[in-house]
């Protein structure tokens, strides 16, 4: 027995499949989390949440006045409550007043 599928039935199935896939896609885009200073990436980059605590003696690449908020990797458009995603740490949230070795002013 041969089964013929109408165009309308086919498109309906395609639409249902697309709608079923939406929640999976939305759930996979979880909100970014704050970068923990003990995270291996943070430790490797010397990340601190308060740049005022960094000294040139401890971090030779540090320059006074350089903070995450003025870094080109800091996504200012997405800043909330003093934190925003950073390109150097995979989009995790970093403190606006922070600093790390990846600073690009």
């Amino acid at each position: 027995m041969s089964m013929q599928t109408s165009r309308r039935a086919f498109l309906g199935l395609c639409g249902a499949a697309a709608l079923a896939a939406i929640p999976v896609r939305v759930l996979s885009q979880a909100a970014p989390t704050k970068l923990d200073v003990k995270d291996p990436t943070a430790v490797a980059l010397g990340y601190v949440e308060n740049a005022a605590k960094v000294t040139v003696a401890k971090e030779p690449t540090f320059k006074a006045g350089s903070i995450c908020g003025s870094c080109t990797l800091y996504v200012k458009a997405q800043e909330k409550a003093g934190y925003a995603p950073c390109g150097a740490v995979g989009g995790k949230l970093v403190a606006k007043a922070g600093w790390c070795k990846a600073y690009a002013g």
Side-chain angles (χ1 to χ4, degrees), residues 7-20:
R7 176 192 265 176
R8 183 174 290 166
F10 177 74
L11 291 175
L13 287 173
C14 289
L19 287 174

Side-chain angles (χ1 to χ4, degrees), residues 16-93:
L19 287 174
I22 289 174
V24 173
R25 186 172 180 203
V26 170
L27 290 176
S28 68
Q29 296 176 349
T33 58
K34 287 184 183 178
L35 179 64
D36 185 339
V37 294
K38 294 178 184 175
D39 180 283
T41 303
V43 172
L45 291 174
Y47 171 71
V48 294
E49 288 194 330
N50 186 349
K53 296 180 180 180
V54 181
T55 63
V56 176
K58 186 176 178 184
E59 293 291 349
T61 58
F62 177 74
K63 292 185 177 140
S66 58
I67 61 169
C68 292
S70 64
C71 179
T72 57
L73 300 171
Y74 185 81
V75 186
K76 293 175 185 145
Q78 296 179 23
E79 183 180 325
K80 290 182 183 172
Y83 287 84
C86 174
V89 293
K92 288 189 177 181
L93 302 175

